[in-house]
């Protein structure tokens, strides 16, 4: 495919869409599938047929708009009306109101902070394009950035744009992406790989799933651009096996991109070739750890190994390998298209761009949100999330999942960026954000995450294998109100020992939920210590 | 690039080959550093975490068995903090299994027991897990007692890397991880085991033992490993 052909396809798709006066966009991602969007879509198609509107009104299956708690979500364009909790019976009503006032009891007002406070970069196309049809993605600009790099830019320039943008890894640690790309690019080996980490194992997290389901091409395009920049011609997307819909859509997207020549040999007539293979996760949290993930791709047991060597030096089958998270890759195309300065303008001094969070727990509006870095926790919880339900008080917000920590009310005005969260003893993590109110017991929260880490420990190294179960057993004594002061001393020693001596990131960060709750809610632990009774 | 590196271990200047690990240099200079998963002649996995050392004053610890030397490195192998961690690691091994030295075939020949003595582990505050573990005595010459297994995976590596049989592997995860023969079938029905006995000889504890041995009789003999490793390297260089 060349530039002309590429632009022609995109234009044709835009023209086709413009031929319809009305578009009814129905979310077909996992959240809405669970609430029955398929039936709504079928009903809408039948209704349009029976009204003879098939040439003026188009029914589109689209990606996630973030309100997964109140699906199925339907939007009507150009009216720009959003409906929630739509049932098949509501379809007739919705069609009756097209071009007029909206159906009041179904409408979701978009002038609320939930929408206004968000900024969509990664999810810009989610809810707008049909993730199963590459043409609709191309109409929205997909693969335009790939065209630009392969025809107008040299690989080092691409690395430089990513470096200048200030993009940092969204998989948890926040490692500077441009630096990682540059390291792999500089390796002189002839074989290199690009890996996309879509294992997303944090409990309650579904940011990456949503991206892969709603706009799979953006991920593939980011990987291909990375391949061009670092000199790799093969990529792997590693997706956890439970993500059936994401897998289906990625498969379809890869197939369609190959058919269009956007992946494969001599992309856009350049000397650059890049193919992508899909690999399914082995169903363990630790397989998201990069060395374990690569072992799993190689067909071995998904156990971590000590680093160095880092993957950028010796990764898949010993070759230099670039590994980034789904959301990291999804940021790449917009950066190339809009320039590094545009991206660097969003966010704070050290944390650029936006971050997708899965907001859950004790807040009025749960869902998937994308916000500019630097936004305060208060804005997220109180404005976007709409505050705490049932008149209860805010107590803490947990970020970073089982590797993260709890941030108490005193720090609600903290800006969300890598450094600030770390300073408070938590981490940005991959985007889990659980709100707790004054009815939540922080010891129980610590116990929950610790038990998760224990279950997910691979068992290879002793501190994590035995240390996590020791900590869980101690925490049980606390939740049962029969702990002793010695238990508290031992618990703190284990926090230190397990984090300092474990082999991989899982064990090293496993004590974080305990460390942070001990830091801010020590009194709750102390209240769990049984009074010393004189033995008879 | 020079093929020799110089570094400091516990303040003492030493030299090393470029591809040496810190542990190799430490051993060469007869400095004591506890290890359990590592055994000369097999690949290093960095699993037991006993060999953790401090480097260049950084609080981030590195396992000596898998870390390559670097020019000018300053390694500290022993201090209060490291001793504390090492003792805790050993305590963890004692509480996760069922170790009753007095009735163990390896009593007096066990690396875990030696290290515990040497590092002064005589009691623990950790919680004994008293797991329900089994013994596979189906093989006519050898047996494995999972109660004493510390999951060092030496047996897995010697069987795969040296004997080439790959009979052993690790199954399960976390605290439920355990070694298995083939697809978790009994040892006597193993179609791959050549009965060479290497796994028994490298096992640091009384987990793997020869059946004819009584309590305190199971001396281990793994001198064949460095020899085999040397032979492999000689062969490689000849080719
Ligand atoms: C226990 C553990 C689980 C992890 N799980 C994930 C995951 O599900 N997805 C992910 O992208 N990164 C995960 N990571 C981080 C990866 O190891 C790696 O740092 C990341 O994929 C790098 O991508 P980035 O630089 O784009 O963030 C995990 C790390 C650890 C220690
Ligand atoms: S820290 Fe935990 S998950 Fe990581 S290697 Fe050790 S046992 Fe496995
Ligand atoms: S006896 Fe030899 S072949 Fe059999 S399991 Fe042990 S090491 Fe492997
Ligand atoms: S049986 Fe022995 S050699 Fe094998 S893992 Fe257990 S302790 Fe190590
Ligand atoms: S000897 Fe180095 S980790 Fe076990």
């Amino acid at each position: 495919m060349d530039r002309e052909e590429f632009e022609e396809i995109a234009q044709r798709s835009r023209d086709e869409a413009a031929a319809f006066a009305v578009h009814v966009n129905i979310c077909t991602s996992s959240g809405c599938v669970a609430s029955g969007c398929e039936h709504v879509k079928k009903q809408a198609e039948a209704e349009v047929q029976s009204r003879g509107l098939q040439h003026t009104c188009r029914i589109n299956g689209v990606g996630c708009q973030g309100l997964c708690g109140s699906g199925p979500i339907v939007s009507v364009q150009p009216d720009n009306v959003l409906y929630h909790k739509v049932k098949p019976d509501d379809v007739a009503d919705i069609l009756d109101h097209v071009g007029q006032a909206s159906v009041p009891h179904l409408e979701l007002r978009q002038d609320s902070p939930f929408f206004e406070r968000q900024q969509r970069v990664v999810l810009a196309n989610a809810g707008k394009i049909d993730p199963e049809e590459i043409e609709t993605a191309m109409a929205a600009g997909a693969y335009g950035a790939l065209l630009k790099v392969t025809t107008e830019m040299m690989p080092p320039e691409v690395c430089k744009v990513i470096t200048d943008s200030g993009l940092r890894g969204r998989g948890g640690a926040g490692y500077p992406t441009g630096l990682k790309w540059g390291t792999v690019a500089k390796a002189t080996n002839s074989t290199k790989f690009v890996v996309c980490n879509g294992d997303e194992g944090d409990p309650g997290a579904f940011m990456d799933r949503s991206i892969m389901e709603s706009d799979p091409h953006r991920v593939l395009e980011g990987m291909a651009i990375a391949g061009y920049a670092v000199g790799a011609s093969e990529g792997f997307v590693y997706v956890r096996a439970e993500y059936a819909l994401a897998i289906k859509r990625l498969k379809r997207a890869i197939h369609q991109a190959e058919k269009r020549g956007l992946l494969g040999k001599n992309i856009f007539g350049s000397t650059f070739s890049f193919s992508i293979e899909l690999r399914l996760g082995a169903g363990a949290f630790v397989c998201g750890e990069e060395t374990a993930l690569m072992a799993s791709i190689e067909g071995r047991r998904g156990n971590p190994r000590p680093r160095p060597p880092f993957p950028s030096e010796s990764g898949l089958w010993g070759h230099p390998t670039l590994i980034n998270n789904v959301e990291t890759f999804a940021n790449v195309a917009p950066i190339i298209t809009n320039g590094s300065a545009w991206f660097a303008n969003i966010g704070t001094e050290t944390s650029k761009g936006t971050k997708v969070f899965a907001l859950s727990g004790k807040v009025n509006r749960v869902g998937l949100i994308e916000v500019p870095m630097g936004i305060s926790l208060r804005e997220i919880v109180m404005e976007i999330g709409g505050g705490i339900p049932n008149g209860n008080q805010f107590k803490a917000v947990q970020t970073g999942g089982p590797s993260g920590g709890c941030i108490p009310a005193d720090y609600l005005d903290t800006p969300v960026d890598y450094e600030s969260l770390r300073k408070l003893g938590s981490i940005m993590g991959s985007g889990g954000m659980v709100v707790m109110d004054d009815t939540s017991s922080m010891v129980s929260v610590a116990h929950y995450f610790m038990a998760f880490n224990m279950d997910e420990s691979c068992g290879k190294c002793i501190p994590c294998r035995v240390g996590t179960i020791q900590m869980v057993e101690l925490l049980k004594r606390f939740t049962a109100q029969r702990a002793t002061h010695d238990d508290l001393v031992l618990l703190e020693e284990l926090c230190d020992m397990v984090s300092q001596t474990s082999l991989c990131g899982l064990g090293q960060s496993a004590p974080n939920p305990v460390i942070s709750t001990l830091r801010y809610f020590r009194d709750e632990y102390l209240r769990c210590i049984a009074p010393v009774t004189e033995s008879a | 690039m020079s093929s020799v590196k110089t570094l400091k271990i516990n303040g003492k200047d030493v030299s090393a080959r470029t591809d040496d690990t810190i542990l190799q240099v430490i051993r060469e200079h007869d400095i004591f550093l506890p290890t359990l998963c590592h055994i000369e002649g097999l690949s290093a996995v960095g699993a037991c975490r006993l060999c953790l050392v401090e480097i260049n004053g950084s609080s981030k610890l590195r396992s000596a068995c898998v870390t390559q030397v670097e020019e000018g490195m300053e390694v500290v192998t022993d201090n209060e903090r490291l001793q504390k961690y090492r003792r805790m690691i050993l305590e963890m091994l004692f509480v996760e299994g069922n170790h009753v030295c007095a009735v163990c075939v390896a009593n007096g020949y066990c690396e875990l027991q030696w290290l515990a003595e040497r590092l002064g582990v005589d009691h623990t505050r950790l919680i004994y897990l008293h797991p329900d573990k089994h013994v596979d005595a189906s093989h006519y010459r050898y047996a494995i007692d999972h109660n004493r297994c510390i999951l060092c995976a030496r047996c897995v590596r010697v069987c795969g890397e040296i004997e080439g049989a790959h009979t052993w592997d690790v199954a399960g995860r976390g605290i439920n991880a355990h070694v298995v023969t083939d697809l978790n079938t009994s040892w006597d029905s193993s179609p791959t085991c050549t009965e060479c006995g290497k796994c028994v000889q490298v096992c640091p504890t009384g987990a793997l033992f020869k059946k004819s041995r009584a309590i305190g009789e199971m001396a281990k003999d793994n001198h064949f490993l460095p020899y085999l490793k040397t032979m492999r390297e000689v062969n490689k260089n000849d080719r």
Side-chain angles (χ1 to χ4, degrees):
Chain A
M1 175 167 336
D2 58 14
R3 181 183 292 269
E4 253 170 50
E5 197 185 334
F6 173 77
E7 277 162 6
E8 198 187 297
I9 296 171
Q11 191 54 47
R12 198 183 321 131
S13 175
R14 277 192 288 268
D15 292 345
E16 272 169 28
F20 291 88
V22 177
H23 286 262
V24 177
N25 297 334
I26 302 174
C27 175
T28 52
S29 290
S30 288
C32 286
V33 169
S35 49
C37 66
E38 315 263 290
H39 305 291
V40 175
K41 188 157 177 264
K42 272 212 188 83
Q43 180 64 29
E45 279 157 0
E47 191 75 28
V48 164
Q49 280 288 336
S50 71
R51 295 185 184 200
L53 295 174
Q54 58 270 39
H55 299 298
T56 54
C57 176
R58 190 156 93 173
I59 309 294
N60 305 303
V62 297
C64 178
Q65 318 230 23
L67 295 142
C68 307
S70 46
I73 300 284
V74 174
S75 81
V76 177
Q77 300 299 346
D79 295 4
N80 196 24
V81 181
L82 202 59
Y83 293 116
H84 66 160
K85 298 186 179 156
V86 177
K87 285 179 235 25
D89 294 346
D90 298 326
V91 168
D93 227 8
I94 290 176
L95 288 178
D96 287 342
H97 283 75
V98 166
Q100 301 159 30
S102 51
V103 188
H105 71 280
L106 293 173
E107 188 180 3
L108 198 63
R109 306 272 312 216
Q110 293 175 71
D111 52 5
S112 68
F114 183 86
F115 293 98
E116 285 170 349
R117 290 281 177 172
Q118 292 199 48
Q119 181 174 359
R120 296 193 147 209
V121 171
V122 166
L123 293 167
N125 289 342
K128 299 208 172 100
I129 62 162
D130 182 343
E132 303 204 353
E133 300 303 333
I134 190 170
E135 289 79 12
T136 68
M138 287 169 74
Y143 296 101
L146 182 60
L147 173 71
K148 182 169 168 185
V149 300
T150 51
T151 55
E152 297 169 23
M153 294 170 82
M154 298 298 286
E157 284 178 68
V158 182
C159 288
K160 183 156 185 330
V161 172
I162 299 299
T163 305
D164 291 348
S165 75
L167 176 64
R168 294 170 66 173
R170 304 294 195 235
Y175 190 82
T177 306
L179 188 58
K180 208 188 253 187
W181 287 29
T183 310
V184 181
K186 285 194 187 87
T188 49
N189 309 48
S190 56
T191 306
K192 301 178 191 176
F193 294 101
V194 170
V195 174
C196 174
N197 188 342
D199 197 50
E200 196 167 52
D202 288 19
F206 56 100
M207 297 76 57
D208 294 346
R209 184 188 76 189
S210 189
I211 296 168
M212 293 185 285
E213 283 180 0
S214 303
D215 197 359
H217 291 288
R218 181 173 296 243
V219 180
L220 303 181
E221 185 180 6
M223 289 177 70
I225 293 170
Y228 180 77
V230 305
S233 56
E234 244 180 285
F236 292 91
V237 202
Y238 187 91
V239 187
R240 59 183 290 178
E242 293 91 330
Y243 284 180
L245 189 60
I247 291 163
K248 180 182 142 203
R249 291 196 172 153
L250 277 169
K251 253 191 207 155
R252 199 178 158 92
I254 293 171
H255 181 70
Q256 291 180 342
E258 279 171 350
K259 241 172 82 184
R260 291 282 183 193
L262 298 165
L263 287 176
K265 289 229 172 331
N266 301 103
I267 295 171
F268 290 120
S270 69
T271 53
F272 173 60
S273 302
F274 194 74
S275 60
I276 296 179
E277 250 183 72
L278 189 72
R279 289 294 167 94
L280 302 196
F285 175 59
V286 77
C287 285
E289 195 280 333
E290 53 193 28
T291 61
L293 185 148
M294 292 187 307
S296 176
I297 290 181
E298 290 172 10
R300 293 182 287 121
R301 181 178 151 104
N303 269 7
R305 62 152 175 81
R307 300 174 310 175
F310 289 92
S312 48
E313 213 181 299
S314 171
L316 280 177
W317 295 286
H319 301 290
T321 301
L322 173 75
I323 175 161
N324 276 131
N325 163 263
V326 168
E327 191 180 331
T328 313
F329 279 123
N331 272 298
V332 169
I335 292 174
I336 298 291
T337 307
N338 303 314
S340 51
W342 162 81
F343 190 80
N345 233 337
I346 312 170
T348 69
E349 193 52 39
T350 57
S351 308
K352 304 296 187 188
T354 62
K355 180 76 195 83
V356 183
F357 289 101
L359 188 62
S360 64
K362 305 282 176 61
V363 273
N364 281 313
R365 264 188 300 276
V366 299
L368 198 77
I369 58 168
E370 182 174 355
V371 289
M373 298 265 196
I375 190 173
S376 72
L377 287 166
R378 184 185 301 281
E379 285 169 283
I380 294 182
V381 176
M382 297 304 171
E383 297 183 21
I384 297 178
I388 315 299
N390 307 327
N392 288 336
Q393 288 294 310
F394 171 85
K395 184 170 188 182
V397 55
Q398 210 280 349
T399 68
S403 322
C406 294
I407 300 170
D410 289 353
Y411 299 95
L412 253 185
D413 289 308
T414 304
V416 173
D417 64 55
Y418 292 98
E419 279 69 28
S420 302
L421 295 182
R422 193 169 286 274
K423 224 181 283 161
L424 295 178
S426 189
I427 55 167
M428 177 81 73
S430 58
M433 200 177 263
V434 187
V435 179
M436 289 146 207
D437 68 12
D438 49 3
T439 63
S440 320
S441 147
M442 302 316 276
V443 181
S444 304
V445 169
H447 176 253
Y448 167 81
F449 283 113
M450 208 56 225
F452 177 87
N453 285 323
M454 176 190 83
D455 285 337
E456 296 298 331
S457 162
C458 81
K460 178 171 173 173
C461 73
I462 302 163
C464 169
R465 179 177 78 229
V466 190
T468 52
I469 189 169
Q470 292 288 327
M471 293 177 73
V472 168
E473 290 302 317
L474 288 169
L475 286 168
K476 276 188 198 158
R477 293 183 181 170
F478 281 90
T479 52
Q481 307 277 332
R482 49 176 187 80
T484 65
H485 278 284
D486 288 347
D487 290 337
L488 187 57
V489 172
L490 182 56
L491 185 65
E492 294 199 279
E493 279 180 41
L494 282 165
C495 283
D496 171 57
M497 184 268 186
V498 173
S499 62
Q500 295 298 312
T501 60
S502 288
L503 189 159
C504 87
L506 193 153
Q508 288 161 7
S509 58
N512 282 355
V514 182
I515 295 173
S516 87
T517 47
L518 270 169
R519 175 167 164 188
Y520 297 116
F521 302 97
R522 197 180 183 84
D523 54 323
E524 289 193 31
Y525 282 85
L526 293 175
R527 265 184 262 132
C528 294
I529 292 178
V532 185
T533 48
E534 293 294 324
S535 52
Chain B
M1 215 167 41
S2 151
S3 60
V4 180
K5 305 241 152 143
T6 54
L7 57 151
K8 270 196 169 73
I9 295 180
N10 298 338
K12 191 176 131 196
D13 286 307
V14 296
S15 61
R17 276 175 227 94
T18 316
D19 55 357
D20 275 352
T21 62
I22 297 176
L23 181 63
Q24 279 170 314
V25 186
I26 285 174
R27 287 278 145 89
E28 200 177 305
H29 289 83
D30 294 325
I31 300 163
F32 171 71
L33 186 70
T35 56
L36 267 178
C37 65
H38 180 267
I39 182 167
E40 192 59 35
L42 297 181
S43 64
V45 287
C48 75
R49 318 305 289 162
L50 278 171
C51 70
L52 287 175
V53 293
E54 281 178 8
I55 292 176
N56 299 339
S58 158
S59 65
K60 200 163 162 50
L61 307 176
R62 300 274 287 274
S63 35
C65 65
V66 294
T67 306
Q68 242 149 341
V69 295
E70 275 166 36
E71 183 63 36
M73 217 176 209
E74 292 185 20
V75 181
V76 172
T77 66
D78 200 15
N79 60 30
E80 224 170 277
R81 172 176 176 234
L82 291 170
Q83 283 177 17
K84 180 179 167 191
Y85 290 158
R86 287 176 190 146
R87 274 199 301 269
M88 274 179 112
I89 289 173
L90 293 179
E91 288 175 41
M92 285 180 172
L93 289 175
F94 282 108
V95 301
E96 79 161 334
N98 298 304
H99 294 270
V100 189
C101 297
V103 296
C104 179
V105 281
N107 195 3
Y109 300 103
C110 171
E111 292 182 40
L112 177 62
Q113 193 182 38
W114 290 339
L115 285 177
E117 265 171 37
R118 169 107 200 207
L119 301 185
V121 178
D122 46 18
H123 72 290
T124 182
R125 289 168 300 153
L126 298 177
I127 301 165
Y128 277 95
L129 300 177
H130 300 298
D132 186 11
K133 299 203 172 192
H134 71 283
V135 178
D136 178 358
S138 62
H139 196 275
Y140 76 103
R141 287 171 77 175
Y142 312 124
I144 176 162
D145 183 345
H146 289 277
N147 293 290
R148 301 169 187 154
C149 172
I150 59 169
L151 283 162
C152 67
R154 283 188 190 179
C155 54
V156 178
R157 283 173 284 152
V158 81
C159 186
E161 294 170 15
I162 304 292
E163 182 62 9
H166 204 308
T167 302
W168 292 104
D169 215 330
V170 179
R173 70 179 187 219
I175 201 70
N176 298 316
H178 57 285
V179 291
V180 292
T181 40
D182 295 305
L183 299 169
N184 205 6
T185 47
S186 62
W187 199 345
D188 66 329
S189 61
S190 166
T192 56
C193 175
T194 63
E195 308 187 346
C196 69
K198 291 188 176 70
C199 52
V200 175
Q201 301 304 337
V202 298
C203 178
T205 70
L208 280 164
F209 57 94
K210 264 191 176 160
K211 274 190 164 169
S212 51
R213 299 295 188 278
I215 292 169
E217 275 191 6
M218 189 60 223
K220 306 267 172 159
D221 179 10
N222 50 44
H223 296 115
F224 62 93
L225 271 175
Y227 168 74
L228 286 178
K229 189 188 169 202
T230 313
M231 290 312 290
R232 259 193 311 185
E233 269 158 22
V234 169
N235 285 338
K236 207 161 52 189
N237 294 339
D238 281 354
R239 248 180 279 143

